[in-house]
Amino acid sequence: MADHADTLAVEFRNIDKAFYGVKANDNVNFELRRGEVHALLGENGAGKSTLCSILAGLYRPDAGEFLYEGKPTVFKTPKDALAAGVGMVYQHFRLVSNLTVAENLALGHPKLGIRISQSELEEEARQLGDEYGLPVDPSARVWQLSVGEQQRVEILKLLYRNAKVLILDEPTAVLTPQEAQQLFKTMRQMAEEGRSVIFVSHKLHEVKQVSDRVTVLRQGTTVGGADTADAEPRDLARMMVGRDLELPTRDENLDIGGPMLTVDSLRVDGDRGLEAVRGVTFEVNAGEVLGICGVSGNGQRELAYGLVGLRIPTSGTVHLDGEDVTNLTVADRIDKGFAYVPQSRLGMGLAPGLTTEDNLGLKAYRKPPYSNGPMLAAGVFKEKGGQWITEYDIRGVRPGLPIRLLSGGNLQKALLAREVELQPKALIARSPTRGLDVGATEAVRNLVLAERAKGTAVLLISEDLDELLALSDRVLVLYEGQVAGRMPADEATPERLGLLMAGQKEEAI
Amino acid sequence: MNESTLILTLFAAIGLGTPLVFGTIGEIITERAGNLNLGVQGMMLVGAVAGFWATYNTESLLLGVIIAMIAGSLFSVIHAFASVTLRVSQIVSGLALTIFGTGLSSFLGEAGSEPLVGEPSKATFEPILEGGLADIPVIGPLIFGHDILVYISWLTVAAASFYLFRTRMGLSLRAVGEDPASAESAGVNVSRVRYIHIMIGGALSGIAGAYYSLALVPTWQNEPIGAAGWIAIALVILASWRPWRALFAAYLFGAAERVQFTLQTMGEPWSNVPSSLLAMLPFILAIIAMIVLTSGKRARFLGAPAALGLPYFREQR
């Protein structure tokens, strides 16, 4: 027993957790040793995040045993978990963006006195950052930092509290390949010191590279585990998905037409009044996918806003099919043939409280047959909506209930159905498969590729390099609001794009 | 306007502004924790009647103020329970608090066999220094000529500023107001922080109310505070959630109030203007100041807590 307690940091036995009757964890077993990097592998929705949230004290299990350092434990709140030495870096960072880095480290720390000194805090933060290869300016406010830097702050926060178990939930999703390598070094360093690191991912090559052991989850249960060194990536993939799988990629034999969407020296302001898009020029041809990559926050959002009219550019021009649309309103641009798939499906893409049918009619409703003058034709919403729900295989729709109850994949299918049915000349899509499971990713990719085949100019803005390379004909890298490089997709590799995304000049590569 | 009129105006501005200082600081602290409490008017009225009652029965000003604070604070628990524990809309809960508090203070003023209404207070706040320092020209009256609560209000402003920006609890409170989910995952108890600071807001509103019933109009009358509770909420925005600016915003409003009183007594041509129009002056000034100071590019630097007005659900997915 003593030996057992000595090697195991965490043990989960037969854990169940349900949300509103849906089982997110169903009989999950998991063991974490001291001083190891343990990968938790699984599809979106496989229950990885739920399991981690139980460990971090955010959720409580409905059933099952949880042993921490050999003793049965219940963490009632994240505070309990932190006090015991368990901390988590969430996918959506838990940083207070208006506070400084040092203040975020100090927040809620039990050992601080009543009075706090900014300068002492900053000094401590700087030392800790140097020690672990996580450099970040402690006096900066979090909103001023890049996503990669914010992640470092999250890890520093846990180290500052001397966490013994660190859970990193898909940490590499927001990093360039080079930043990911640096993170892996830090993870190994932490493991060597005797800390345990849980590395949540669905990227097999990363799991293979950094972890000691791996546990695979599928549909809420543990389906297997292995020492990483003995595990074949192909076997892990099959365990994770439950079948062999090939995601769709673009057909290279299709013809590409002439320029459809032409952007010249475009400048667009960011939220805080600073210029976010600083003179960007490109064109997208009919029947072509242009992929835009970059670390998030390098002007992608503002570029999309400038194109669809959510923000009027300060200078430069946008032409669609030869027509100047630079200063048109959003509604006018929709009429001219712009379709937009925003990053947040429920925030900007769909009206969460309306029904699926109403949402599907939300762009066409100004015109017949959806409306006649001021009167809406409710029958048309129902009829067309029902037709598209079948055609686009949108599942889980119940009459009269709001669309927000659908899963992410079905939301995205509904959103794409509405946009594509406008018969657009240009489709602008931001991270369309983010957070979707493999089946939904497949469906969404096929929809995007079908638009390309129809001769639509597609602008695909994404941080997922694998996806960009699979779908795009050409790739353009944005760095600090400017074009850092552009190339045909055949010549692009994740490494080459990663360097450009990090601001290195092409000549230096 | 000669020098003495100017000094009189400034002096009166401090007096009229003092309850607004307390009310505004209280609401700043509450809002910094992410809770919008529109019940300030109600809490002030409850504090006013409770403080007046306590002093009426004990002849002690100290007890009056303490009871007013306790009353305001306990009364604010209704809003805390509704908006934090039950997650009722903060707007609805705060408005209900104001409506309830207004009725309750009128009722308490008229209830019983010896109603308070029309009775003068048994003790009132007076300037603490007579002669000496207070006789120095100009700065004498402006700095040394006030009653004790004015000085306490200055201390409150300094203390609030220190608390918000230099202490661990202040950091937790600001974090909860900006991003409760992040604060909680850093180990801060969001509900407790909100409860405590709603109650501190209630206590300060209670003092504000007592300042009306024990210093400015020391005879019990129905709704002695005018619209002070609403003004305090507006001044929070004008002060952009910063304590020191609240002090100046409150005095600016106090000065406007005084000027309109003065204008009403100045004879021609002002006597031709209906007094109700002049009485609107301070409010118009407040609106203009708010528009000028908070519009356009300045809005970005305002510093409204990002989670202001939002209930917090932990297991929301």
mmCIF file of all heavy atoms in Angstrom, chain A residues 90-119:
data_model
loop_
_atom_site.group_PDB
_atom_site.id
_atom_site.type_symbol
_atom_site.label_atom_id
_atom_site.label_comp_id
_atom_site.label_asym_id
_atom_site.label_seq_id
_atom_site.Cartn_x
_atom_site.Cartn_y
_atom_site.Cartn_z
ATOM 1 N N TYR A 90 -7.006 25.593 -18.694
ATOM 2 C CA TYR A 90 -8.187 25.330 -19.516
ATOM 3 C C TYR A 90 -7.936 25.759 -20.952
ATOM 4 O O TYR A 90 -7.092 26.611 -21.229
ATOM 5 C CB TYR A 90 -9.394 26.078 -18.961
ATOM 6 C CG TYR A 90 -9.804 25.614 -17.588
ATOM 7 C CD1 TYR A 90 -9.229 26.155 -16.452
ATOM 8 C CD2 TYR A 90 -10.760 24.620 -17.431
ATOM 9 C CE1 TYR A 90 -9.585 25.719 -15.184
ATOM 10 C CE2 TYR A 90 -11.123 24.178 -16.177
ATOM 11 C CZ TYR A 90 -10.535 24.733 -15.061
ATOM 12 O OH TYR A 90 -10.889 24.294 -13.809
ATOM 13 N N GLN A 91 -8.734 25.177 -21.861
ATOM 14 C CA GLN A 91 -8.623 25.599 -23.259
ATOM 15 C C GLN A 91 -8.964 27.068 -23.400
ATOM 16 O O GLN A 91 -8.331 27.811 -24.128
ATOM 17 C CB GLN A 91 -9.600 24.791 -24.107
ATOM 18 C CG GLN A 91 -9.023 23.548 -24.672
ATOM 19 C CD GLN A 91 -10.048 22.832 -25.516
ATOM 20 O OE1 GLN A 91 -10.475 23.337 -26.537
ATOM 21 N NE2 GLN A 91 -10.453 21.675 -25.082
ATOM 22 N N HIS A 92 -10.042 27.455 -22.731
ATOM 23 C CA HIS A 92 -10.369 28.873 -22.676
ATOM 24 C C HIS A 92 -9.727 29.383 -21.409
ATOM 25 O O HIS A 92 -10.121 28.989 -20.322
ATOM 26 C CB HIS A 92 -11.877 29.079 -22.661
ATOM 27 C CG HIS A 92 -12.525 28.512 -23.867
ATOM 28 N ND1 HIS A 92 -12.506 29.170 -25.070
ATOM 29 C CD2 HIS A 92 -13.137 27.337 -24.084
ATOM 30 C CE1 HIS A 92 -13.110 28.418 -25.970
ATOM 31 N NE2 HIS A 92 -13.498 27.304 -25.404
ATOM 32 N N PHE A 93 -8.710 30.205 -21.558
ATOM 33 C CA PHE A 93 -7.889 30.573 -20.421
ATOM 34 C C PHE A 93 -8.717 31.212 -19.331
ATOM 35 O O PHE A 93 -9.659 31.955 -19.585
ATOM 36 C CB PHE A 93 -6.788 31.537 -20.855
ATOM 37 C CG PHE A 93 -5.847 30.933 -21.847
ATOM 38 C CD1 PHE A 93 -5.288 31.698 -22.851
ATOM 39 C CD2 PHE A 93 -5.542 29.582 -21.783
ATOM 40 C CE1 PHE A 93 -4.435 31.136 -23.776
ATOM 41 C CE2 PHE A 93 -4.690 29.013 -22.700
ATOM 42 C CZ PHE A 93 -4.130 29.789 -23.709
ATOM 43 N N ARG A 94 -8.317 30.919 -18.099
ATOM 44 C CA ARG A 94 -8.982 31.529 -16.948
ATOM 45 C C ARG A 94 -8.098 32.639 -16.420
ATOM 46 O O ARG A 94 -7.575 32.562 -15.326
ATOM 47 C CB ARG A 94 -9.230 30.468 -15.872
ATOM 48 C CG ARG A 94 -10.088 29.307 -16.332
ATOM 49 C CD ARG A 94 -11.502 29.779 -16.552
ATOM 50 N NE ARG A 94 -12.352 28.748 -17.102
ATOM 51 C CZ ARG A 94 -13.165 27.986 -16.380
ATOM 52 N NH1 ARG A 94 -13.220 28.115 -15.092
ATOM 53 N NH2 ARG A 94 -13.939 27.105 -16.956
ATOM 54 N N LEU A 95 -7.926 33.667 -17.247
ATOM 55 C CA LEU A 95 -7.132 34.810 -16.824
ATOM 56 C C LEU A 95 -8.026 36.035 -16.846
ATOM 57 O O LEU A 95 -8.892 36.156 -17.701
ATOM 58 C CB LEU A 95 -5.955 35.027 -17.779
ATOM 59 C CG LEU A 95 -4.915 33.911 -17.824
ATOM 60 C CD1 LEU A 95 -3.941 34.143 -18.963
ATOM 61 C CD2 LEU A 95 -4.165 33.840 -16.509
ATOM 62 N N VAL A 96 -7.804 36.923 -15.908
ATOM 63 C CA VAL A 96 -8.581 38.150 -15.892
ATOM 64 C C VAL A 96 -7.863 39.159 -16.784
ATOM 65 O O VAL A 96 -6.778 39.615 -16.456
ATOM 66 C CB VAL A 96 -8.739 38.679 -14.460
ATOM 67 C CG1 VAL A 96 -9.617 39.911 -14.446
ATOM 68 C CG2 VAL A 96 -9.313 37.595 -13.567
ATOM 69 N N SER A 97 -8.461 39.460 -17.926
ATOM 70 C CA SER A 97 -7.691 40.140 -18.968
ATOM 71 C C SER A 97 -7.356 41.583 -18.622
ATOM 72 O O SER A 97 -6.397 42.126 -19.143
ATOM 73 C CB SER A 97 -8.415 40.059 -20.298
ATOM 74 O OG SER A 97 -9.683 40.631 -20.182
ATOM 75 N N ASN A 98 -8.103 42.208 -17.717
ATOM 76 C CA ASN A 98 -7.791 43.586 -17.354
ATOM 77 C C ASN A 98 -6.757 43.701 -16.240
ATOM 78 O O ASN A 98 -6.351 44.789 -15.883
ATOM 79 C CB ASN A 98 -9.064 44.322 -16.934
ATOM 80 C CG ASN A 98 -9.613 45.150 -18.075
ATOM 81 O OD1 ASN A 98 -8.875 45.525 -18.973
ATOM 82 N ND2 ASN A 98 -10.893 45.435 -18.034
ATOM 83 N N LEU A 99 -6.353 42.583 -15.680
ATOM 84 C CA LEU A 99 -5.341 42.620 -14.639
ATOM 85 C C LEU A 99 -3.977 42.316 -15.253
ATOM 86 O O LEU A 99 -3.879 41.758 -16.343
ATOM 87 C CB LEU A 99 -5.650 41.593 -13.548
ATOM 88 C CG LEU A 99 -6.971 41.767 -12.784
ATOM 89 C CD1 LEU A 99 -7.080 40.726 -11.691
ATOM 90 C CD2 LEU A 99 -7.110 43.150 -12.195
ATOM 91 N N THR A 100 -2.908 42.667 -14.517
ATOM 92 C CA THR A 100 -1.563 42.375 -15.023
ATOM 93 C C THR A 100 -1.229 40.901 -14.808
ATOM 94 O O THR A 100 -1.920 40.197 -14.082
ATOM 95 C CB THR A 100 -0.490 43.213 -14.303
ATOM 96 O OG1 THR A 100 -0.433 42.791 -12.943
ATOM 97 C CG2 THR A 100 -0.798 44.696 -14.352
ATOM 98 N N VAL A 101 -0.134 40.480 -15.447
ATOM 99 C CA VAL A 101 0.336 39.103 -15.292
ATOM 100 C C VAL A 101 0.580 38.801 -13.815
ATOM 101 O O VAL A 101 0.121 37.789 -13.273
ATOM 102 C CB VAL A 101 1.623 38.901 -16.110
ATOM 103 C CG1 VAL A 101 2.259 37.564 -15.787
ATOM 104 C CG2 VAL A 101 1.320 39.012 -17.590
ATOM 105 N N ALA A 102 1.292 39.709 -13.140
ATOM 106 C CA ALA A 102 1.609 39.483 -11.732
ATOM 107 C C ALA A 102 0.337 39.416 -10.888
ATOM 108 O O ALA A 102 0.221 38.578 -9.992
ATOM 109 C CB ALA A 102 2.524 40.599 -11.221
ATOM 110 N N GLU A 103 -0.632 40.273 -11.186
ATOM 111 C CA GLU A 103 -1.877 40.246 -10.412
ATOM 112 C C GLU A 103 -2.615 38.932 -10.616
ATOM 113 O O GLU A 103 -3.217 38.383 -9.698
ATOM 114 C CB GLU A 103 -2.781 41.417 -10.819
ATOM 115 C CG GLU A 103 -2.370 42.736 -10.208
ATOM 116 C CD GLU A 103 -3.234 43.906 -10.676
ATOM 117 O OE1 GLU A 103 -3.679 43.900 -11.842
ATOM 118 O OE2 GLU A 103 -3.452 44.810 -9.884
ATOM 119 N N ASN A 104 -2.556 38.418 -11.846
ATOM 120 C CA ASN A 104 -3.204 37.137 -12.103
ATOM 121 C C ASN A 104 -2.533 36.014 -11.321
ATOM 122 O O ASN A 104 -3.201 35.090 -10.879
ATOM 123 C CB ASN A 104 -3.202 36.827 -13.602
ATOM 124 C CG ASN A 104 -4.461 37.320 -14.281
ATOM 125 O OD1 ASN A 104 -5.521 36.722 -14.124
ATOM 126 N ND2 ASN A 104 -4.361 38.417 -15.009
ATOM 127 N N LEU A 105 -1.213 36.097 -11.170
ATOM 128 C CA LEU A 105 -0.536 35.074 -10.382
ATOM 129 C C LEU A 105 -0.951 35.171 -8.918
ATOM 130 O O LEU A 105 -1.121 34.171 -8.238
ATOM 131 C CB LEU A 105 0.992 35.224 -10.485
ATOM 132 C CG LEU A 105 1.649 34.983 -11.830
ATOM 133 C CD1 LEU A 105 3.148 34.845 -11.660
ATOM 134 C CD2 LEU A 105 1.111 33.740 -12.493
ATOM 135 N N ALA A 106 -1.108 36.390 -8.441
ATOM 136 C CA ALA A 106 -1.397 36.595 -7.022
ATOM 137 C C ALA A 106 -2.848 36.272 -6.676
ATOM 138 O O ALA A 106 -3.147 35.914 -5.546
ATOM 139 C CB ALA A 106 -1.093 38.041 -6.642
ATOM 140 N N LEU A 107 -3.712 36.379 -7.658
ATOM 141 C CA LEU A 107 -5.152 36.265 -7.402
ATOM 142 C C LEU A 107 -5.493 34.956 -6.693
ATOM 143 O O LEU A 107 -5.187 33.878 -7.178
ATOM 144 C CB LEU A 107 -5.895 36.339 -8.741
ATOM 145 C CG LEU A 107 -7.412 36.227 -8.657
ATOM 146 C CD1 LEU A 107 -7.992 37.377 -7.877
ATOM 147 C CD2 LEU A 107 -8.001 36.183 -10.049
ATOM 148 N N GLY A 108 -6.127 35.085 -5.542
ATOM 149 C CA GLY A 108 -6.593 33.906 -4.818
ATOM 150 C C GLY A 108 -5.494 33.117 -4.143
ATOM 151 O O GLY A 108 -5.757 32.079 -3.561
ATOM 152 N N HIS A 109 -4.253 33.594 -4.216
ATOM 153 C CA HIS A 109 -3.152 32.850 -3.601
ATOM 154 C C HIS A 109 -3.250 32.922 -2.089
ATOM 155 O O HIS A 109 -3.282 34.009 -1.528
ATOM 156 C CB HIS A 109 -1.810 33.427 -4.074
ATOM 157 C CG HIS A 109 -0.663 32.499 -3.828
ATOM 158 N ND1 HIS A 109 -0.239 32.185 -2.571
ATOM 159 C CD2 HIS A 109 0.124 31.815 -4.686
ATOM 160 C CE1 HIS A 109 0.779 31.340 -2.660
ATOM 161 N NE2 HIS A 109 1.023 31.094 -3.937
ATOM 162 N N PRO A 110 -3.286 31.757 -1.438
ATOM 163 C CA PRO A 110 -3.569 31.772 0.007
ATOM 164 C C PRO A 110 -2.444 32.356 0.857
ATOM 165 O O PRO A 110 -2.696 32.819 1.959
ATOM 166 C CB PRO A 110 -3.764 30.283 0.326
ATOM 167 C CG PRO A 110 -3.082 29.546 -0.766
ATOM 168 C CD PRO A 110 -3.130 30.418 -1.977
ATOM 169 N N LYS A 111 -1.208 32.343 0.348
ATOM 170 C CA LYS A 111 -0.112 32.741 1.237
ATOM 171 C C LYS A 111 0.169 34.243 1.236
ATOM 172 O O LYS A 111 0.983 34.721 2.000
ATOM 173 C CB LYS A 111 1.165 31.983 0.857
ATOM 174 C CG LYS A 111 1.106 30.532 1.330
ATOM 175 C CD LYS A 111 2.442 29.848 1.186
ATOM 176 C CE LYS A 111 2.292 28.361 0.940
ATOM 177 N NZ LYS A 111 2.163 28.033 -0.483
ATOM 178 N N LEU A 112 -0.494 34.978 0.386
ATOM 179 C CA LEU A 112 -0.205 36.416 0.336
ATOM 180 C C LEU A 112 -0.800 37.130 1.531
ATOM 181 O O LEU A 112 -1.859 36.768 2.029
ATOM 182 C CB LEU A 112 -0.789 37.014 -0.935
ATOM 183 C CG LEU A 112 -0.038 36.659 -2.203
ATOM 184 C CD1 LEU A 112 -0.738 37.264 -3.379
ATOM 185 C CD2 LEU A 112 1.382 37.167 -2.124
ATOM 186 N N GLY A 113 -0.102 38.174 1.964
ATOM 187 C CA GLY A 113 -0.623 38.984 3.055
ATOM 188 C C GLY A 113 -1.754 39.872 2.577
ATOM 189 O O GLY A 113 -2.171 39.815 1.420
ATOM 190 N N ILE A 114 -2.246 40.688 3.487
ATOM 191 C CA ILE A 114 -3.372 41.545 3.145
ATOM 192 C C ILE A 114 -2.949 42.586 2.126
ATOM 193 O O ILE A 114 -3.636 42.856 1.153
ATOM 194 C CB ILE A 114 -3.922 42.199 4.419
ATOM 195 C CG1 ILE A 114 -4.673 41.136 5.237
ATOM 196 C CG2 ILE A 114 -4.843 43.365 4.090
ATOM 197 C CD1 ILE A 114 -5.212 41.621 6.532
ATOM 198 N N ARG A 115 -1.762 43.162 2.354
ATOM 199 C CA ARG A 115 -1.290 44.169 1.429
ATOM 200 C C ARG A 115 -0.441 43.501 0.362
ATOM 201 O O ARG A 115 0.305 42.565 0.652
ATOM 202 C CB ARG A 115 -0.442 45.178 2.194
ATOM 203 C CG ARG A 115 -0.478 46.496 1.503
ATOM 204 C CD ARG A 115 0.347 47.545 2.119
ATOM 205 N NE ARG A 115 0.811 48.317 0.985
ATOM 206 C CZ ARG A 115 1.821 49.140 1.024
ATOM 207 N NH1 ARG A 115 2.456 49.330 2.140
ATOM 208 N NH2 ARG A 115 2.176 49.791 -0.050
ATOM 209 N N ILE A 116 -0.571 43.929 -0.881
ATOM 210 C CA ILE A 116 0.256 43.302 -1.899
ATOM 211 C C ILE A 116 1.109 44.349 -2.599
ATOM 212 O O ILE A 116 0.686 45.473 -2.828
ATOM 213 C CB ILE A 116 -0.588 42.525 -2.934
ATOM 214 C CG1 ILE A 116 -1.732 43.379 -3.440
ATOM 215 C CG2 ILE A 116 -1.105 41.243 -2.352
ATOM 216 C CD1 ILE A 116 -2.617 42.649 -4.411
ATOM 217 N N SER A 117 2.321 43.957 -2.914
ATOM 218 C CA SER A 117 3.246 44.874 -3.561
ATOM 219 C C SER A 117 3.470 44.435 -4.992
ATOM 220 O O SER A 117 3.951 43.327 -5.255
ATOM 221 C CB SER A 117 4.562 44.884 -2.792
ATOM 222 O OG SER A 117 5.627 45.157 -3.682
ATOM 223 N N GLN A 118 3.088 45.315 -5.912
ATOM 224 C CA GLN A 118 3.238 45.014 -7.340
ATOM 225 C C GLN A 118 4.670 44.643 -7.701
ATOM 226 O O GLN A 118 4.911 43.671 -8.387
ATOM 227 C CB GLN A 118 2.825 46.229 -8.178
ATOM 228 C CG GLN A 118 1.334 46.384 -8.354
ATOM 229 C CD GLN A 118 0.751 45.374 -9.327
ATOM 230 O OE1 GLN A 118 1.446 44.834 -10.171
ATOM 231 N NE2 GLN A 118 -0.534 45.099 -9.193
ATOM 232 N N SER A 119 5.641 45.434 -7.186
ATOM 233 C CA SER A 119 7.011 45.231 -7.646
ATOM 234 C C SER A 119 7.555 43.880 -7.174
ATOM 235 O O SER A 119 8.235 43.180 -7.920
ATOM 236 C CB SER A 119 7.906 46.376 -7.168
ATOM 237 O OG SER A 119 7.783 46.530 -5.782
#
